[in-house]
Coordinates of all heavy atoms in Angstrom, one line a residue:
S1326 N 223.3 -50.9 96.1 CA 222.8 -50.4 94.8 C 223.5 -51.0 93.6 O 223.2 -50.8 92.5 CB 223.1 -48.9 94.8 OG 224.5 -48.6 94.8
G1327 N 224.5 -51.9 93.9 CA 225.1 -52.6 92.8 C 226.5 -52.0 92.4 O 227.1 -52.4 91.5
F1328 N 227.0 -51.0 93.2 CA 228.3 -50.4 93.0 C 229.4 -51.3 93.6 O 229.3 -51.8 94.6 CB 228.4 -49.0 93.6 CG 227.6 -48.0 92.9 CD1 226.4 -47.6 93.2 CD2 228.2 -47.4 91.8 CE1 225.7 -46.6 92.6 CE2 227.6 -46.4 91.1 CZ 226.3 -46.0 91.5
F1329 N 230.5 -51.3 92.9 CA 231.7 -51.9 93.4 C 232.7 -50.8 93.5 O 233.0 -50.1 92.5 CB 232.2 -53.0 92.5 CG 231.4 -54.2 92.4 CD1 230.3 -54.3 91.5 CD2 231.5 -55.3 93.3 CE1 229.5 -55.4 91.4 CE2 230.7 -56.4 93.3 CZ 229.7 -56.4 92.3
R1336 N 232.8 -49.5 89.0 CA 232.1 -50.1 87.9 C 230.7 -50.4 88.4 O 230.5 -51.0 89.4 CB 232.8 -51.4 87.5 CG 232.1 -52.2 86.4 CD 232.7 -53.5 86.1 NE 233.4 -53.3 84.9 CZ 234.2 -54.2 84.3 NH1 234.4 -55.3 85.0 NH2 234.7 -54.1 83.2
Q1337 N 229.7 -50.0 87.7 CA 228.3 -50.3 88.0 C 227.7 -51.1 86.9 O 227.8 -50.7 85.7 CB 227.5 -49.0 88.1 CG 226.1 -49.2 88.3 CD 225.2 -48.0 88.2 OE1 225.7 -47.0 87.7 NE2 224.0 -48.1 88.6
F1338 N 227.2 -52.3 87.2 CA 226.6 -53.1 86.2 C 225.1 -52.6 86.0 O 224.3 -52.7 86.9 CB 226.6 -54.6 86.6 CG 228.0 -55.1 86.7 CD1 228.7 -55.1 87.9 CD2 228.7 -55.4 85.5 CE1 230.0 -55.6 87.9 CE2 230.0 -55.8 85.6 CZ 230.6 -55.9 86.8
V1339 N 224.8 -52.2 84.8 CA 223.5 -51.7 84.5 C 222.6 -52.8 83.9 O 221.5 -53.1 84.4 CB 223.6 -50.5 83.5 CG1 222.2 -49.9 83.2 CG2 224.4 -49.4 84.2
D1340 N 223.0 -53.3 82.8 CA 222.3 -54.4 82.1 C 223.3 -55.6 82.0 O 224.4 -55.5 82.4 CB 221.8 -54.0 80.7 CG 220.8 -52.9 80.7 OD1 220.0 -52.8 81.7 OD2 220.8 -52.2 79.8
D1341 N 222.8 -56.6 81.4 CA 223.8 -57.7 81.0 C 224.6 -57.3 79.8 O 225.7 -57.7 79.6 CB 223.0 -59.0 80.7 CG 222.3 -59.6 81.9 OD1 222.8 -59.3 83.0 OD2 221.3 -60.3 81.7
S1342 N 224.0 -56.4 79.0 CA 224.6 -56.0 77.7 C 225.5 -54.8 77.8 O 226.3 -54.5 76.9 CB 223.6 -55.7 76.7 OG 222.8 -54.6 77.1
R1343 N 225.5 -54.0 79.0 CA 226.2 -52.8 79.0 C 226.7 -52.5 80.4 O 226.1 -52.8 81.4 CB 225.3 -51.7 78.6 CG 225.7 -50.3 78.7 CD 224.6 -49.4 78.3 NE 223.4 -49.6 79.1 CZ 222.5 -48.7 79.2 NH1 222.5 -47.6 78.5 NH2 221.4 -49.0 80.0
D1344 N 227.9 -51.9 80.5 CA 228.3 -51.4 81.8 C 229.0 -50.0 81.7 O 229.3 -49.6 80.6 CB 229.3 -52.4 82.5 CG 230.5 -52.7 81.7 OD1 231.2 -51.8 81.3 OD2 230.7 -53.9 81.5
R1345 N 229.1 -49.4 82.8 CA 229.6 -48.0 82.8 C 230.9 -48.0 83.6 O 231.0 -48.6 84.6 CB 228.6 -47.0 83.3 CG 227.3 -47.0 82.6 CD 226.3 -46.2 83.3 NE 225.1 -46.2 82.5 CZ 224.0 -45.5 82.8 NH1 224.0 -44.8 83.8 NH2 223.0 -45.6 82.0
F1346 N 231.9 -47.2 83.2 CA 233.1 -47.0 83.9 C 233.1 -45.5 84.4 O 232.8 -44.6 83.6 CB 234.3 -47.3 83.1 CG 234.3 -48.7 82.7 CD1 233.8 -49.1 81.5 CD2 234.9 -49.7 83.6 CE1 233.9 -50.5 81.1 CE2 234.9 -51.0 83.2 CZ 234.4 -51.4 82.0
Q1347 N 233.5 -45.3 85.6 CA 233.6 -43.9 86.1 C 235.0 -43.7 86.8 O 235.4 -44.6 87.5 CB 232.5 -43.7 87.1 CG 231.1 -44.0 86.7 CD 230.5 -45.0 87.6 OE1 230.9 -45.2 88.7 NE2 229.5 -45.7 87.1
D1360 N 228.6 -41.1 86.9 CA 227.9 -42.0 86.0 C 228.2 -41.6 84.6 O 227.5 -40.7 84.1 CB 226.4 -42.0 86.3 CG 225.7 -43.2 85.8 OD1 226.3 -44.2 85.5 OD2 224.4 -43.1 85.8
R1361 N 229.2 -42.2 84.0 CA 229.6 -41.8 82.6 C 229.4 -43.0 81.7 O 229.7 -44.2 82.1 CB 231.1 -41.4 82.6 CG 231.5 -40.4 83.5 CD 231.0 -39.0 83.2 NE 231.4 -38.6 81.9 CZ 231.2 -37.4 81.4 NH1 230.7 -36.5 82.2 NH2 231.6 -37.1 80.2
V1362 N 229.0 -42.8 80.5 CA 228.9 -43.8 79.4 C 230.0 -43.3 78.4 O 229.8 -42.3 77.7 CB 227.5 -43.8 78.8 CG1 227.5 -44.9 77.7 CG2 226.5 -44.2 79.9
Y1414 N 219.6 -38.7 75.6 CA 220.0 -39.9 76.3 C 220.6 -39.6 77.7 O 220.2 -40.2 78.7 CB 221.0 -40.7 75.5 CG 221.5 -42.0 76.1 CD1 220.8 -43.2 76.0 CD2 222.7 -42.0 76.8 CE1 221.3 -44.3 76.5 CE2 223.2 -43.1 77.4 CZ 222.4 -44.3 77.3 OH 222.9 -45.5 77.9
H1418 N 219.1 -40.2 81.7 CA 219.8 -40.9 82.7 C 220.3 -40.0 83.8 O 220.5 -40.5 84.9 CB 221.0 -41.7 82.1 CG 220.5 -42.9 81.3 ND1 220.1 -44.0 81.9 CD2 220.5 -43.1 80.0 CE1 219.7 -44.9 81.0 NE2 219.9 -44.4 79.8
N1422 N 215.8 -40.0 85.6 CA 215.9 -41.4 86.2 C 216.5 -41.3 87.6 O 216.9 -42.2 88.2 CB 216.9 -42.2 85.3 CG 216.5 -43.7 85.3 OD1 215.5 -44.0 85.8 ND2 217.4 -44.5 84.9

Side-chain angles (χ1 to χ4, degrees):
S1326 62
F1328 283 98
F1329 292 89
R1336 178 185 252 175
Q1337 176 192 13
F1338 295 99
V1339 179
D1340 296 329
D1341 293 335
S1342 61
R1343 171 181 61 163
D1344 57 57
R1345 299 175 181 183
F1346 296 94
Q1347 308 122 19
D1360 199 15
R1361 306 291 299 192
V1362 179
Y1414 180 85
H1418 287 288
N1422 212 12

